[in-house]
Amino acid sequence: MAAVTDLATLLATMDPVLQEGEFAFCTLSEEAFAACQPLRPLGLFREVEGVTVILPVEVARERGLAIGTPMRWITLNVHSALEAVGLTAAFSAALTQEGISANVVAGYYHDHIFIPAADAERAVMALKALSAAT
């Protein structure tokens, strides 16, 4: 299955599916997490097709894993509530205006944005401009 980049197609075909069950966002100490995960990924998510892991590029290369576009990680240091409304839409819109793709991961304390490495500086500038305009 080829990845889709066209926004109109993405919106028209997103086919949202509510997964069964309820999930909790929890925090673990580094030691407790390390005991669970020998790869020590920055993040992971299980999907039907497989497990997505977020790893440093060097670790992925050492393990012989396929690497797509190298990404940079931006953390929004505001402690955003998980139930907050509009933050993702606002920063996504700012990045969209600059033609920058964003892959968002919400942690318990902060939102994290993974963007193509080549766009990192422009993304930070766009986010700082959004913040300053508010």
Side-chain angles (χ1 to χ4, degrees):
M1 173 188 342
V4 178
T5 57
D6 178 67
L7 180 59
T9 303
L10 290 167
L11 292 172
T13 62
M14 66 181 171
D15 188 25
V17 174
L18 182 63
Q19 302 297 326
E20 290 295 323
E22 295 182 351
F23 302 89
F25 279 69
C26 304
T27 62
L28 298 173
S29 69
E30 282 295 321
E31 294 78 18
F33 182 70
C36 298
Q37 303 298 325
L39 271 181
R40 297 185 50 98
L42 178 62
L44 61 90
F45 199 86
R46 287 179 176 81
E47 299 177 279
V48 172
E49 298 85 355
V51 179
T52 297
V53 292
I54 302 170
L55 298 167
V57 168
E58 307 81 46
V59 173
R61 286 188 177 130
E62 287 170 9
R63 301 290 178 128
L65 301 173
I67 298 170
T69 301
M71 306 296 271
R72 294 288 308 275
W73 170 21
I74 298 171
T75 297
L76 302 181
N77 282 322
V78 61
H79 182 173
S80 53
L82 291 169
E83 64 276 8
V85 175
L87 177 61
T88 303
F91 69 68
S92 292
L95 294 172
T96 297
Q97 288 178 346
E98 296 297 322
I100 300 171
S101 68
N103 295 277
V104 182
V105 175
Y108 189 84
Y109 297 101
H110 307 285
D111 290 282
H112 307 275
I113 310 165
F114 291 86
I115 49 108
D119 296 327
E121 299 303 322
R122 286 189 318 115
V124 170
M125 288 178 11
L127 295 170
K128 287 182 177 182
L130 172 64
S131 185
T134 319

